[in-house]
Amino acid sequence: DFNIIQCAFGGTTINQYGFGSVNFNWVVEQWNNAKRDAKSQGKTARLRGFNFTQGESNGGDNTGDYENALRKLILDYRTYLQEPDMLFIIVQMIDCQTSVVNLSELQATQALVGAEAGNALISKNSGTNSCLDPLHFSQAKYLDVSDEIFELIK
């Protein structure tokens, strides 16, 4: 069985996903529910990957805070979801997201952290590189990204 738990909310900075936040607690609760449901069916749930598509709301951050917050976020989710080997997949922002201040710096940070052990990067250059508007991927890009994520976690 394969399940997806959506935990993203538009206009949300990375710190609003970190340990102790409402979003973080919601993700942990959803994962605990999924484990309980699997156990009731005689199965063991396993969290194979965590897909993180975020960055627009941190445009303009050139202090290193985004990089530190991203590394802490990864560590916290692995720790509190009790999945130390969980693949953390970072979807890199693409060049047509021109309304994002410091886009190239955010992309570089995503590439840097995505290359670290236990992480993966869906590169800005993979698949279709088109946007719906200056902030969001096109439907074609989301479909390409989802195919790549599926290949990584299967």
Side-chain angles (χ1 to χ4, degrees), residues 12-73:
T12 307
T13 64
I14 193 168
N15 291 327
Q16 291 173 295
Y17 291 104
F19 175 73
S21 70
V22 171
N23 293 342
F24 185 93
N25 294 338
W26 187 85
V27 171
V28 172
E29 179 184 347
Q30 296 310 303
W31 177 232
N32 288 335
N33 291 341
K35 289 191 299 187
R36 187 174 45 256
D37 291 348
K39 187 174 182 178
S40 73
Q41 298 172 31
K43 300 176 183 180
T44 301
R46 195 61 223 293
L47 190 55
R48 305 278 300 165
F50 194 105
N51 165 40
F52 194 68
T53 306
Q54 190 274 344
E56 298 93 326
S57 297
N58 286 95
D61 174 11
N62 58 4
T63 64
D65 288 345
Y66 183 79
E67 181 179 340
N68 295 333
L70 184 54
R71 284 195 176 102
K72 183 173 181 344
L73 182 98

Side-chain angles (χ1 to χ4, degrees), residues 103-125:
L103 176 61
S104 61
E105 187 166 337
L106 287 167
Q107 290 168 325
T109 298
Q110 291 168 331
L112 178 70
V113 177
E116 294 172 356
N119 299 341
L121 179 75
I122 305 293
S123 170
K124 68 179 185 172
N125 297 319

